[in-house]
Amino acid sequence: MRRFAVLVALVALAPFVVRYPTLETQILTFGLLAVAFNVLLGEMGFLSFGQATFNGVGAYAAARVLIDLHAPLLLALGAGIAAGALVAAAIGALAITGRGVYGVMLTFAFNEMAYYLAFQWRDVTGGDNGLRGIPRPDVFGISLDDATRYYFFTAIVVLLAFAFVLRLIDSPFGAVLRAIRENEERARAIGFRVRRFKIAAFAISGGLSGLAGALYAGLFRFVPLQSIDLDTSTNIVVATLLGGTGSPYGPLLGAAVFTILSNALSHVWSHWPLLFGVVFCIVVLFFRGGLWSIPGLWNRRASHA
Amino acid sequence: MSGLIEIQLLNGIVQGMIYALVAAGLTLIFGMLDIPNFAHGAFYALGAYVAFTVVSSSGNFWLAIAVVPIVIAVLGLIVDALAMRRLARAGHVYQILFTLGLVLIVQEAIVLVWGADPTSVTVPAALSGGIPLGVVSFPVYRLFLVAVSAVVIAALWFGLERTRYGAIIRAGIDDPEMVDCIGIDVQRLFTIVFGIGVGLAGLAGALIVPIRGGQPAMGNELMATSFAVVVIGGLGSYLGAVVGGVFVGLTQAIMTILYPAASEVAIFAAMALVILVRPQGLFGRR
Amino acid sequence: MLRTHSLTKRFGAHVAVDAVDIEVRDGTLHAIIGPNGAGKTTLFNLLSGEQRPTSGTIEFLGQEVTRLDVTARSHRGMGRSYQRTNVFPKLTVFENVRLAAQSRTRLSFALFASASANGALAERTARALEDVGLLAHAAQPAHELAGGDQRLLELAITLATDPVLLLLDEPSQGLSPEDARRLIDRIAALAARYTIVLIEHNMPLVMGLAGEITVMNFGRVIAHGTPAAIRADANVRSAYLGTRG
């Protein structure tokens, strides 16, 4: 609870300290993607390589609802959640039939298919030009036309989603996901219908990713084709691992570091991904708990000394 | 139209041989050593760029074909010895993540060393002509590519199936402890297999560069497709990787004629279908 | 309680379990013994639903369960333990058992409930831990437990699913004599409350514990009866006791 309070305070103060509301909004939406991904990886132990699929589908769904139906923004977010959850449940149901690496490959294959579908289906997605002209309607009569206001709107939605994930992890449902991660066979033997839980976890992860996509569509009033490509999926994986999979705060931290570095360092040294790749490899080799676990490592060492 | 469809099909075979080379290496690493090497495409891209450097500094394409696989294989040995062994016990997820990190590094290192613009290599004079085919002609170099790939694939198959070393490698994969017991260093053996696997990817990169040139991200696209090839052919099946590679190359060529919009989707749909319906692949055992 | 009829499992040409008829009566501790490769573990996997029989039927509490999977049989009241330790290693001892207790509730899809704050679950969990004497270790991660304690945890997980029948697969396998003794005492205490099917290698242990014994060899039942009758049986002597001294 104290951590969550600190997080809320940080999010509330950020735009007053550093005035880059658009970048800060991006951190939040990307952070939500990473948190959603980690429900599958960190809690259930499934590496989903196709998270951008759910992000993209959510973004397109929200954008279409806003453009074609002139729907209210909250409804568009709902459309993003629903689209992401549905697609994720369908893909998840297929992906979990593949054992081990095959499951990873399936999410990967479906991501590639989704990308090419989005690329071809220009009427709906705008193809590689992206989807433009998305309105950003008022919410409860409050105009969100200003970047800082949209930041706060996003902050409220993302913090609510994050609180939901915290709750989920402590719930009996979350406990079953960890049981599946630790020992799927035993989970089955004590009476859990493992398949149902896995599909539900996919739906939740996909719904949250779809929500992130919808918020992103509202942020730039534009959905680029990149929002559904494999590079985005890779970035989600990389950022999450960097932050750490052991706690939902880890992916959030990783997403923030990743977004800030990719924006800041790309101005300083255009080859920053090289450095980033090296750091990432070192994390994978030596610090599997990610950045979030480092204070803990330090404490443990101190207490041993 | 005469000749055009034939050209497309021949191009499909050329592309298919590249897939076959890459997938043959991948099936050694992923199928036999059980390392899901997401950096396989990065080694392919490196192969293309190293070939570019060798050709532009020596002017000798033949030298490039000989040197590139060795350079890339040595890099593979280093990666395996330094990292992949450590990660073996951490499991697939971390192997995937580490090789993903390698992709980031290689891709950016290419931009740093060779620049972001595409590079190109001219076809050596001896192979520069074309063979007439109806109203058009088919480049001799492409036939050369098919021939070289076929020879390398056949030689490696012979090495794996018909020689003592091949027998030891296969035994080491089936039962590492047993081979350890008879006094062979299995870890070293696996490192060598890893080196050979990425060396094949490097060779494929060197062979493709006179046709397509090099781009820093060239490995990514190939990576996705070659995973599809390996899965379709059957993980760990050498024959499956080769036949799967040619099959995918031809399918893409045919789809490009019939319905270009779906040519990419078709491959990944086929891969998903294979995993769901026949997970051992078309040529896999079990 | 549990009855098989002509239960058979083939692997290619090899018949692992050959037309086995067994009846486990309510309230008994029924041991299945036999030399290595006699088909005990395969029979066990058929009973618990891990494997499907080639032919024959299994009846549990008067209903046929032959086609049901492990999960469904668990909900009918079969609880099995495993030969090798089979727990959730990184979760705490308490969480391990709480999960099992939770599987008997309708809570598992409650996304907004708190598992840790649920009193009824905590109580059921504590009771199962008490039964095996692990309550003091509740907060420890399972993988940090000693080997013998992991077996007890395994047993507690099974108990927390509220089974009516316990299927125990070589519970003393790989344990030190003291640990085996400790485990056997627990099982003996549980025998008063549960019907138990036990596979065991440790002959003296079985003789002291079981009410009924079925002896298997080459996939077949070669003898069945009380420990005293089994000890006197000539078939058993030659097939099993004879070879193992």
Side-chain angles (χ1 to χ4, degrees):
Chain A
M1 211 53 218
R2 217 175 64 217
R3 282 186 201 155
F4 189 68
V6 172
L7 175 68
V8 171
L10 262 176
V11 170
L13 294 176
F16 299 108
V17 181
V18 187
R19 289 177 192 280
Y20 291 114
T22 303
L23 177 69
E24 283 155 344
T25 312
Q26 247 181 301
I27 292 176
L28 289 176
T29 59
F30 189 56
L32 182 55
L33 281 177
V35 169
F37 163 73
N38 200 47
V39 169
L40 294 177
L41 180 64
E43 300 302 317
M44 194 171 81
F46 188 97
L47 174 60
S48 162
F49 221 92
Q51 290 298 105
T53 315
F54 318 138
N55 175 59
V57 165
Y60 287 128
R64 284 318 329 173
V65 168
L66 288 170
I67 295 172
D68 301 337
L69 305 178
H70 307 288
L73 192 55
L74 290 180
L75 195 71
L77 297 188
I81 295 173
L86 273 175
V87 170
I91 289 180
L94 294 170
I96 58 174
T97 54
R99 289 202 158 265
V101 183
Y102 281 95
V104 183
M105 309 291 297
L106 276 170
T107 56
F108 178 86
F110 283 116
N111 197 164
E112 281 288 275
M113 281 191 259
Y115 171 81
Y116 285 110
L117 283 176
F119 179 74
Q120 301 286 348
W121 203 4
R122 290 168 171 281
D123 297 344
V124 173
T125 65
D128 52 357
N129 294 324
L131 188 54
R132 290 171 191 283
I134 301 167
R136 193 199 282 170
D138 299 353
V139 172
F140 302 131
I142 302 166
S143 162
L144 297 178
D145 242 355
D146 163 73
T148 308
R149 284 190 183 183
Y150 190 74
Y151 169 82
F152 281 110
F153 171 73
T154 306
I156 292 168
V157 175
V158 170
L159 285 174
L160 282 174
F162 190 73
F164 164 72
V165 172
L166 290 177
R167 191 80 200 166
L168 179 83
I169 287 169
D170 184 48
S171 75
F173 179 82
V176 180
L177 296 191
R178 282 189 295 282
I180 293 170
R181 179 191 74 200
E182 290 294 307
N183 190 343
E184 187 175 331
E185 178 200 15
R186 193 71 174 110
R188 210 170 267 134
I190 58 175
F192 290 116
R193 292 272 163 218
V194 166
R195 203 181 143 72
R196 288 184 203 163
F197 287 94
K198 284 184 167 180
I199 294 174
F202 259 97
I204 290 166
S205 176
L208 294 171
S209 306
L211 176 62
L215 287 168
Y216 185 92
L219 172 63
F220 292 105
R221 301 168 192 207
F222 170 65
V223 182
L225 187 58
Q226 283 91 301
S227 64
I228 201 165
D229 74 1
L230 264 179
D231 282 350
T232 301
S233 290
T234 310
N235 288 344
I236 294 169
V237 176
V238 167
T240 304
L241 259 288
L242 184 70
T245 58
S247 150
Y249 289 93
L252 216 50
L253 176 67
V257 171
F258 184 89
T259 312
I260 292 167
L261 286 186
S262 60
N263 277 275
L265 282 184
S266 59
H267 296 300
V268 182
W269 191 47
S270 64
H271 300 294
W272 76 275
L274 183 64
L275 204 67
F276 188 80
V278 172
V279 171
F280 182 73
C281 283
I282 291 173
V283 167
V284 172
L285 278 176
F286 304 107
F287 304 99
R288 295 202 188 116
L291 296 175
W292 185 255
S293 72
I294 288 175
L297 290 177
W298 207 74
N299 282 343
R300 208 172 307 156
R301 194 161 306 161
S303 68
H304 276 289
Chain B
M1 271 305 279
S2 108
L4 284 178
I5 286 178
E6 288 85 340
I7 291 277
Q8 275 290 2
L9 293 180
L10 282 171
N11 278 334
I13 292 175
V14 170
Q15 185 62 53
M17 290 312 278
I18 291 292
Y19 290 150
L21 269 182
V22 174
L26 190 60
T27 210
L28 289 179
I29 294 172
F30 187 16
M32 296 187 182
L33 303 186
D34 199 29
I35 300 173
N37 177 23
F38 273 57
H40 205 64
F43 287 105
Y44 162 82
L46 264 184
Y49 276 91
V50 174
F52 167 76
T53 297
V54 173
V55 173
S56 48
S57 56
S58 72
N60 190 335
F61 181 75
W62 310 103
L63 185 66
I65 295 287
V67 165
V68 167
I70 296 168
V71 172
I72 302 300
V74 169
L75 266 178
L77 298 181
I78 295 170
V79 167
D80 188 73
L82 287 185
M84 299 324 290
R85 285 187 191 183
R86 284 187 63 95
L87 288 167
R89 256 182 296 139
H92 282 144
V93 168
Y94 288 98
Q95 292 173 328
I96 291 175
L97 294 170
F98 180 82
T99 53
L100 212 60
L102 282 183
V103 173
L104 289 176
I105 295 173
V106 168
Q107 198 169 319
E108 204 52 40
I110 287 176
V111 177
L112 186 68
V113 176
W114 288 281
D117 296 331
T119 53
S120 61
V121 167
T122 45
V123 172
L127 301 170
S128 61
I131 292 169
L133 203 81
V135 290
V136 287
S137 74
F138 192 73
V140 172
Y141 177 76
R142 296 187 181 205
L143 294 178
F144 165 77
L145 183 155
V146 172
V148 171
S149 309
V151 167
V152 170
I153 285 168
L156 193 65
W157 177 84
F158 185 83
L160 271 176
E161 296 289 328
R162 293 291 138 92
T163 67
R164 207 178 98 77
Y165 292 107
I168 295 171
I169 289 172
R170 280 181 289 122
I173 286 155
D174 287 341
D175 191 352
E177 280 166 27
M178 182 65 202
V179 175
D180 240 356
C181 282
I182 59 175
I184 293 165
D185 184 346
V186 175
Q187 271 309 329
R188 184 181 300 171
L189 194 70
F190 286 178
T191 298
I192 292 168
V193 174
F194 191 91
I196 294 173
V198 297
L200 286 174
L203 174 64
L207 285 170
I208 200 71
V209 77
I211 301 178
R212 294 264 187 80
Q215 304 101 34
M218 65 191 284
N220 294 355
E221 196 184 322
L222 178 99
M223 191 58 231
T225 313
S226 47
F227 266 124
V229 168
V230 171
V231 169
I232 291 170
L235 209 53
S237 161
Y238 190 76
L239 180 68
V242 174
V243 178
V246 177
F247 169 78
V248 167
L250 272 173
T251 306
Q252 279 179 339
I254 293 167
M255 289 299 287
T256 309
I257 301 168
L258 297 179
Y259 188 51
S263 69
E264 302 292 339
V265 175
I267 298 306
F268 293 102
M271 165 178 164
L273 197 70
V274 166
I275 295 182
L276 295 173
V277 178
R278 197 181 151 81
Q280 73 272 38
L282 300 181
F283 290 84
R285 285 167 298 174
R286 269 177 298 182
Chain C
M1 171 153 302
L2 180 74
R3 179 184 305 176
T4 69
H5 187 75
S6 189
L7 200 62
T8 303
K9 177 71 178 177
R10 279 175 222 277
F11 297 105
H14 174 65
V15 187
V17 172
D18 192 358
V20 167
D21 296 302
I22 284 187
E23 182 173 1
V24 178
R25 289 180 295 117
D26 284 16
T28 53
L29 197 159
H30 192 130
I32 299 170
I33 63 173
N36 272 325
K40 305 186 300 288
T41 294
T42 306
L43 174 67
F44 216 71
N45 287 336
L46 296 176
L47 294 181
S48 66
E50 232 112 299
Q51 291 176 343
R52 291 276 175 283
T54 313
S55 62
T57 57
I58 303 165
E59 209 179 278
F60 178 52
L61 297 173
Q63 285 178 315
E64 198 188 317
V65 296
T66 320
R67 298 277 133 211
L68 298 183
D69 67 3
V70 193
T71 312
R73 289 188 207 190
S74 159
H75 282 284
R76 294 279 176 102
M78 276 192 201
R80 82 163 286 184
S81 76
Y82 292 79
Q83 204 175 105
R84 57 184 175 76
T85 305
N86 199 347
V87 297
F88 305 105
K90 283 188 191 147
L91 307 186
T92 65
V93 168
F94 196 81
E95 283 173 304
N96 264 272
V97 179
R98 192 182 65 203
L99 271 160
Q102 184 190 315
S103 73
R104 302 299 115 160
T105 67
R106 297 176 162 276
L107 279 173
S108 295
F109 274 100
L111 305 181
F112 293 99
S114 166
S116 49
N118 187 307
L121 275 185
E123 195 188 306
R124 179 69 195 93
T125 306
R127 208 151 20 96
L129 284 173
E130 188 89 74
D131 274 345
V132 300
L134 275 184
L135 203 49
H137 296 279
Q140 240 178 308
H143 68 93
E144 286 179 7
L145 288 183
D149 285 345
Q150 292 207 7
R151 281 302 163 82
L152 289 171
L153 174 58
E154 164 84 48
L155 191 58
I157 292 174
T158 308
L159 291 178
T161 62
D162 291 331
V164 292
L165 172 71
L166 287 177
L167 301 168
L168 307 179
D169 189 1
E170 301 208 23
S172 75
Q173 163 101 342
L175 293 187
S176 68
E178 308 90 86
D179 279 342
R181 195 64 251 165
R182 207 151 54 97
L183 189 69
I184 293 315
D185 290 345
R186 293 287 172 190
I187 292 172
L190 292 171
R193 286 152 50 195
Y194 297 93
T195 306
I196 298 177
V197 178
L198 175 76
I199 290 189
E200 191 50 70
H201 254 121
N202 188 334
M203 283 295 289
L205 188 158
V206 170
M207 292 298 172
L209 202 59
E212 261 180 67
I213 295 179
T214 296
V215 188
M216 289 182 73
N217 201 13
F218 302 113
R220 290 209 187 89
V221 173
I222 57 167
H224 171 246
T226 62
I230 294 297
R231 204 170 294 158
D233 191 296
N235 275 337
V236 178
R237 276 172 187 278
S238 65
Y240 186 70
L241 302 176
T243 56
R244 292 179 62 91

